[in-house]
């Protein structure tokens, strides 16, 4: 087999076989195939697409390129959840204990934040003492004992995806639906999930800016799940404004605690309960979504979700006293208000700008090696639909960096993120559609 022939076949719209994809992925991982040839193939895929079968085969090849976590010794159906990336996306911190409290085992590998999006592992590390590095044995043992463990993704899960993603990033081939779908699903499959719930973000702050593209991405991932025997459901949710009201690590942990008590923002709670309900149905704990949602609201109301979160924090070395007294979590030295310059209704909040601003305050990394400030971030005091007067606080900036020029730059970033109009905007949509093997169910 010759790489050039496979590039040509894809360039001309052909379908590569499993053997041909294995040749490309294994050859690239081992260094036998150079970057320039794989980038030509990625660009051919970008223009020609891939069939469902090809996408599933590429996924399996990448999943097999490194460690594969064996979760078979955990009893029950292991349902994983993945978000395609957002700003203020506190869902895992709420969803994992909520679903575990309902009896579905949660064995979750998560990543760190990069650029304007956050990562669950950094958020958990803002709880003093919390250990994110577990051995596979400790991970499995903890899930069997407590129903829940979250660990940092091992460095050798899907190395082929890591290498290919790095190449796509510099060759303008990230935004290809089969390449994104296979990248995400390969990590979920290698992490040992039996079934997968995806939160596919759509809108200004997401990879996929339009609903149609988001649905196509969701369909591609659901189809991969079908092909490889891991039932997959995708909820399409809005990233037209940040979810919830907190962006930044300790700030998001504090918000997750409020939400687990039933006192969090409505959008975060509703999305978590919906994603959790799909996890309960896939995990065999409920027959249908309505029943599952009722169960989850009851679990929050009775305090079981918060109790499970404390149990989980203690099991991973953190002190549950931080959960009882969230004010003891890392807190920034400075809080600077950003005030509205004009009166009107908040009509839009560009999530990406808010995420970038939070990163400038210290909450995120510009490069993989950069360190972060766990206390830094933003609290959104106004969201879409709210009426504001000039001078009202839109956002609070929390930071340990007090330099006036930095604070001013972030203030400008926040003001540019907010659109304020005279006319009242339409009610924002939180969830647009659910994609399953049965098809697309539009929610609006
Ligand atoms: N997230 C991933 O893991 N991979 C992609 O290609 C895009 C988003």
């Amino acid at each position: 087999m010759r790489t050039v022939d496979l590039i040509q076949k894809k360039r001309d719209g052909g379908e590569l076989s499993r053997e041909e994809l294995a040749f490309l992925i294994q050859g690239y991982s081992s260094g036998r195939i150079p970057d320039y040839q794989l980038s030509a193939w990625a660009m051919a895929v970008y223009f020609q697409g891939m069939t469902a079968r090809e996408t599933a085969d590429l996924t399996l090849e990448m999943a097999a390129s490194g460690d594969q976590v064996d979760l078979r010794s955990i009893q029950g159906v292991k349902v994983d959840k993945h978000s395609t990336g957002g700003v203020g996306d506190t869902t895992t911190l709420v969803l994992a204990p909520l679903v575990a409290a309902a009896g579905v085992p949660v064995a979750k590998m998560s990543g760190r934040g990069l650029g304007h999006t956050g990562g669950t592992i950094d958020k958990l590390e803002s709880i003093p003492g919390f250990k994110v590095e577990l051995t596979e044995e400790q991970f499995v043992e903890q899930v069997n004992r407590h129903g829940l463990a979250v660990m940092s993704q091992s460095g050798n899960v899907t190395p082929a995806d890591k290498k290919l993603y790095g190449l796509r990033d510099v060759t303008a081939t990230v935004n290809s639906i089969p390449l994104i779908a296979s990248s995400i699903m390969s990590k979920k499959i290698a992490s040992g999930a039996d079934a997968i719930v995806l939160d596919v973000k759509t809108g200004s702050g997401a990879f996929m800016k339009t609903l149609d593209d988001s649905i196509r991405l969701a369909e591609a991932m659901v189809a991969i799940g079908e092909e490889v025997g891991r039932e997959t459901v995708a909820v399409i949710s809005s990233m037209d404004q940040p979810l919830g009201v907190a962006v930044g690590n300790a700030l998001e942990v504090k918000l997750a605690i409020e939400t687990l008590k039933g006192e969090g923002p409505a959008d975060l709670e509703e999305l978590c309960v919906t994603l959790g309900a799909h996890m309960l149905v896939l995990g065999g704990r409920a027959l249908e979504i309505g029943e599952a949602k009722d169960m989850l609201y009851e679990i929050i109301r009775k305090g079981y979700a918060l109790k499970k979160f404390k149990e989980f924090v203690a099991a991973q070395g953190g002190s549950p006293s931080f959960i009882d007294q969230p004010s003891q979590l890392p807190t920034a030295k400075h809080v600077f208000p950003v005030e509205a310059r004009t009166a009107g209704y908040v009509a839009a909040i560009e999530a990406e700008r808010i995420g970038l601003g939070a990163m400038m305050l210290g909450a995120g990394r510009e490069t993989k090696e950069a360190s972060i400030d766990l206390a830094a971030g933003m609290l959104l005091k106004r969201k879409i639909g709210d009426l504001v007067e000039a001078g009202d606080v839109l956002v609070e900036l929390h930071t340990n960096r007090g330099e006036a020029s930095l604070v001013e730059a972030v203030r400008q970033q926040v003001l540019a993120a907010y659109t304020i109009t005279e006319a009242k905007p339409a009610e924002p949509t939180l969830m647009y559609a659910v994609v399953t093997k049965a098809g697309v169910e539009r929610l609006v």
Side-chain angles (χ1 to χ4, degrees):
M1 225 179 277
R2 291 191 324 151
T3 308
V4 63
D5 298 328
L6 305 185
I7 299 171
Q8 186 174 333
K9 186 169 173 186
K10 184 40 68 187
R11 184 201 67 191
D12 296 342
E15 182 186 32
L16 299 193
S17 67
R18 173 78 190 253
E19 291 66 38
E20 289 169 331
L21 286 163
F23 176 85
L24 284 180
I25 295 303
Q26 289 169 17
Y28 185 55
S29 294
S30 67
R32 186 170 42 76
I33 298 180
D35 280 350
Y36 56 81
Q37 282 192 301
L38 219 76
S39 12
W41 167 80
M43 191 57 85
V45 170
Y46 182 91
F47 283 111
Q48 294 291 359
M50 285 178 129
T51 65
R53 202 230 79 239
E54 254 183 317
T55 314
D57 284 346
L58 173 64
T59 307
L60 287 176
E61 263 321 306
M62 294 204 294
S65 68
D67 296 346
Q68 302 215 50
V69 183
D70 185 354
L71 299 181
R72 277 174 301 179
S73 52
I74 298 175
Q75 301 103 29
V77 181
K78 278 77 65 187
V79 188
D80 203 349
K81 167 260 171 190
H82 181 83
S83 151
T84 59
V87 175
D89 192 355
T90 315
T91 49
T92 297
L93 297 179
V94 176
L95 196 52
L98 180 58
V99 168
V104 172
V106 178
K108 182 134 188 62
M109 294 205 168
S110 286
R112 295 189 183 276
L114 185 62
H116 74 281
T117 61
T120 300
I121 290 299
D122 297 321
K123 296 173 196 179
L124 286 169
E125 275 187 342
S126 64
I127 303 168
F130 194 98
K131 274 202 337 255
V132 297
E133 309 292 341
L134 301 179
T135 63
E136 200 170 314
E137 292 70 42
Q138 289 170 326
F139 184 61
V140 165
E141 211 258 333
Q142 188 180 311
V143 180
N144 275 331
R145 184 181 295 228
H146 299 286
L148 167 61
V150 180
M151 68 181 275
S152 181
Q153 197 159 295
S154 118
N156 200 37
V157 169
T158 59
D161 169 61
K162 217 169 278 169
K163 195 169 175 194
L164 179 57
Y165 191 87
L167 187 72
R168 288 166 52 208
D169 211 15
V170 292
T171 55
T173 50
V174 166
N175 260 347
S176 147
I177 286 177
L179 294 181
I180 297 176
S182 56
S183 167
I184 291 173
M185 292 297 282
S186 67
K187 290 186 278 264
K188 296 290 108 186
I189 290 163
S191 303
D194 298 319
I196 299 154
V197 172
L198 298 164
D199 178 11
V200 176
K201 301 290 187 191
T202 190
S204 66
F207 264 111
M208 295 290 140
K209 310 286 181 207
T210 67
L211 182 57
D212 283 351
D213 279 350
S214 308
I215 289 179
R216 286 201 298 134
L217 175 62
E219 285 174 329
M221 293 194 281
V222 169
I224 295 172
E226 270 304 285
E227 289 269 344
V228 304
R230 321 272 174 123
E231 191 169 352
T232 301
V233 170
V235 174
I236 315 276
S237 75
S238 168
M239 206 17 84
D240 273 331
Q241 65 175 341
L243 186 65
V245 296
V247 184
N249 299 289
L251 292 170
E252 289 187 47
V253 171
K254 290 175 195 172
L255 188 69
I257 294 168
E258 284 172 28
T259 309
L260 288 166
K261 286 182 183 162
E263 296 163 6
D267 61 348
L268 179 60
E269 179 180 86
E270 197 183 335
L271 182 60
C272 288
V273 166
T274 303
L275 294 168
H278 285 286
M279 292 173 79
L280 260 52
V281 171
L282 289 176
R285 291 286 299 155
L287 287 176
E288 50 88 27
I289 296 300
E291 176 200 352
K293 282 186 177 175
D294 291 345
M295 279 171 74
L296 294 174
Y297 280 121
E298 181 79 351
I299 284 169
I300 295 175
R301 204 179 51 76
K302 290 197 161 152
Y304 299 154
L306 185 70
K307 186 159 169 265
K308 180 59 74 179
F309 188 55
K310 282 204 258 184
E311 181 186 333
F312 152 67
V313 167
Q316 288 193 222
S319 163
S321 64
F322 288 102
I323 311 309
D324 290 326
Q325 289 168 298
S327 58
Q328 302 298 308
L329 288 166
T331 301
K333 269 204 301 253
H334 311 285
V335 178
F336 299 105
V338 179
E339 292 158 359
R341 285 181 299 197
T342 51
Y345 289 96
V346 177
I349 309 174
E350 265 184 67
E352 194 165 339
R353 279 189 189 273
I354 296 291
L356 285 172
M359 185 182 79
M360 290 158 72
L361 295 172
R365 304 182 176 77
E366 279 178 59
T367 62
K368 268 193 200 136
E369 293 72 30
S371 62
I372 54 170
D373 176 357
L374 295 167
M378 296 190 196
L379 286 182
L380 276 61
K381 298 294 180 183
R382 293 287 193 277
K383 293 198 58 178
I384 294 180
D386 288 346
L387 186 59
V388 295
E389 295 298 329
D392 281 356
V393 177
L394 295 174
V395 168
E396 276 178 10
L397 311 180
H398 290 238
T399 185
N400 288 310
R401 301 175 179 171
E403 307 92 274
S405 58
L406 172 86
V407 174
E408 187 48 35
V410 179
R411 187 191 307 281
Q412 292 309 326
Q413 188 73 252
V414 169
L415 290 173
Y418 272 74
T419 304
I420 297 184
T421 56
E422 263 176 42
K424 192 169 170 34
E427 196 61 26
T429 299
L430 177 64
M431 287 174 275
Y432 289 93
V434 178
V435 181
T436 64
K437 61 184 176 190
V440 180
E441 181 198 352
R442 300 253 179 183
L443 303 176
V444 284

